[in-house]
């Protein structure tokens, strides 16, 4: 696969889970990585892990649901590295489990603000910079299988992730002729530290239940999502835009 030497990538939610593994994967391939996260501790940890493998990275503290924060993250990226080639918009959060009629309005608004509006804000400022540079680029938004199929009791998350896929298609059409490719990735259950804390070991009944949702009979690995993100940004994916690429061990194939 292409190397990313001389390329600059922003990874939001880069302090943990899928975002952290994506940041490290880009760094291993030679990209300079801007780790954006609401958690300073986690973001700095990712930067340290990248430095430990002689990679190049720095951290920007930002809440993706705040326009000024996102704009500042892109400004700082350009101040430091003079350009922006790729972005993985991964920052996200879940809500609580409840039915629509009983769903708490504040929690609804918070999930939509981070997962949907946050993705819009990231693309807004990333695209402005990429268009200004005039030499293409690639953006990958992290959606979910819940962007493609429904689930019970997670209405804001499912709605936001459906919205992320719509937003991805919209932007892909608008910017197609600029050479900027915009895609989404839809993971099934991925064994990030947070998810593994919840499901427990592979022998536990909760893990077994989660695994059974996937025809492959297991949860995915963060690296399996990260490798897809990096591939979508590479020249090997040069005619792919507006797609929602499913990385789900068959979850939506039933
Ligand atoms: P994670 O481990 O919780 O990582 C998400 C990171 O984003 C955390 O560092 C979190 O900080 C940060 N973040 C949260 N809100 C933010 C905000 N407003 N601004 C900036 N950063 C923020 O989650 P993950 O499991 O890797 O998930 C990453 C993405 O993949 C999410 O969009 C999620 O919906 C999607 N996804 C995950 C799975 C899965 O099974 N893991 C499946 C499908 C889709 P804090 O920890 O401080 O909140």
């Amino acid at each position: 696969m292409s190397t990313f030497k001389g390329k600059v990538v922003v990874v939001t939610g880069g302090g943990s889970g899928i975002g952290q593994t994506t940041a490290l994967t880009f760094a291993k391939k030679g990209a300079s990585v801007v780790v954006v996260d609401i958690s300073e501790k986690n973001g700095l940890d990712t930067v340290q892990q990248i430095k430990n493998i002689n990679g190049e990275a720095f951290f920007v503290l930002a809440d993706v649901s705040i326009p000024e924060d996102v704009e500042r993250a892109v400004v700082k990226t350009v101040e430091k590295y003079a350009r922006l080639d790729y972005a993985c918009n991964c920052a996200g959060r879940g809500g609580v489990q409840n039915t629509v009629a009983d769903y708490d309005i504040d929690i609804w608004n918070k999930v939509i603000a981070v997962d949907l509006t946050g993705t819009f804000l990231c693309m807004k400022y990333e695209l402005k910079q990429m268009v200004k540079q005039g030499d293409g680029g690639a953006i990958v938004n992290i959606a979910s299988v819940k962007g493609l199929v429904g689930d019970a009791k997670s209405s804001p998350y499912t709605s936001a992730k459906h919205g992320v896929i719509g937003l991805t298609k919209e932007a892909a059409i608008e910017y197609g002729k600029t050479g900027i490719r915009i895609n989404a990735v839809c993971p099934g259950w991925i064994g990030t530290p947070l998810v593994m804390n919840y499901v427990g070991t592979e022998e536990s009944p909760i893990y077994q239940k989660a695994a059974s949702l996937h025809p492959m009979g297991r949860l995915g690995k963060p690296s399996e999502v990260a490798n897809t993100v990096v591939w979508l940004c590479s020249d090997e994916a040069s005619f792919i835009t507006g797609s929602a690429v499913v990385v789900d061990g068959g979850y939506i194939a039933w």
Side-chain angles (χ1 to χ4, degrees):
M1 198 195 280
S2 327
T3 73
F4 291 87
K5 282 211 171 12
K7 302 290 188 183
V8 179
V9 59
V10 164
V11 182
T12 75
S16 174
I18 294 169
Q20 181 176 72
T21 304
T22 300
L24 276 154
T25 307
F26 270 114
K28 282 179 194 156
K29 293 190 175 291
S32 299
V33 183
V34 183
V35 177
V36 176
D37 205 284
I38 202 167
S39 163
E40 184 166 31
K41 181 176 165 290
N42 290 351
L44 289 174
D45 173 55
T46 302
V47 168
Q48 190 54 52
Q49 288 193 44
I50 290 174
K51 301 233 175 218
N52 290 347
I53 54 166
N54 295 319
E56 171 61 36
F58 81 103
F59 171 64
V60 180
L61 181 66
D63 178 339
V64 297
S65 68
I66 299 176
E68 294 76 16
D69 276 24
V70 181
E71 186 173 24
R72 187 171 43 83
V74 174
V75 166
K76 281 187 173 288
T77 300
V78 178
E79 274 172 12
K80 173 95 173 160
Y81 297 126
R83 59 181 294 109
L84 173 62
D85 298 286
Y86 312 120
C88 175
N89 298 320
C90 189
R93 51 169 293 155
V96 295
Q97 296 268 302
N98 214 338
T99 48
V100 171
D102 291 320
Y103 213 91
D104 182 276
I105 295 170
D106 290 340
I107 299 174
W108 166 277
N109 283 335
K110 185 68 193 168
V111 176
I112 297 291
V114 175
D115 291 4
L116 180 55
T117 308
T119 305
F120 158 71
L121 291 171
C122 289
M123 284 213 288
K124 178 177 174 67
Y125 295 107
E126 291 156 2
L127 282 164
K128 267 190 207 297
Q129 177 59 31
M130 288 177 183
V131 168
K132 196 156 102 186
Q133 290 167 195
D135 56 358
I139 296 176
V140 179
N141 297 319
I142 304 300
S144 167
V145 286
K146 292 184 188 176
L148 294 164
V149 295
D151 194 9
K153 298 190 175 179
S154 52
S155 53
Y157 186 80
T158 299
S159 302
K161 294 301 189 181
H162 273 73
V164 166
I165 292 173
L167 185 60
T168 299
K169 291 178 183 171
E170 190 75 13
I173 293 165
E174 290 172 1
Y175 293 90
K177 291 207 173 122
T178 66
I180 303 167
R181 296 180 298 100
I182 302 147
N183 293 289
V185 167
C186 303
W189 285 60
I190 304 299
T192 58
L194 207 73
V195 168
M196 291 312 285
N197 273 344
Y198 170 65
V199 298
T201 62
E202 291 186 15
E203 291 72 38
S204 87
I206 305 179
Y207 180 97
Q208 289 298 327
K209 191 169 175 221
S212 74
L213 300 171
H214 307 75
M216 288 182 73
R218 66 172 175 88
L219 269 57
K221 301 174 197 153
S223 61
E224 291 172 319
V225 181
N227 288 337
T228 307
V229 172
V230 170
W231 172 72
L232 279 169
C233 290
S234 76
D235 290 345
E236 279 77 5
S238 54
F239 201 49
I240 302 179
T241 197
S243 287
V245 178
V246 177
V247 182
D248 72 342
Y251 183 108
I252 64 158
W254 292 115

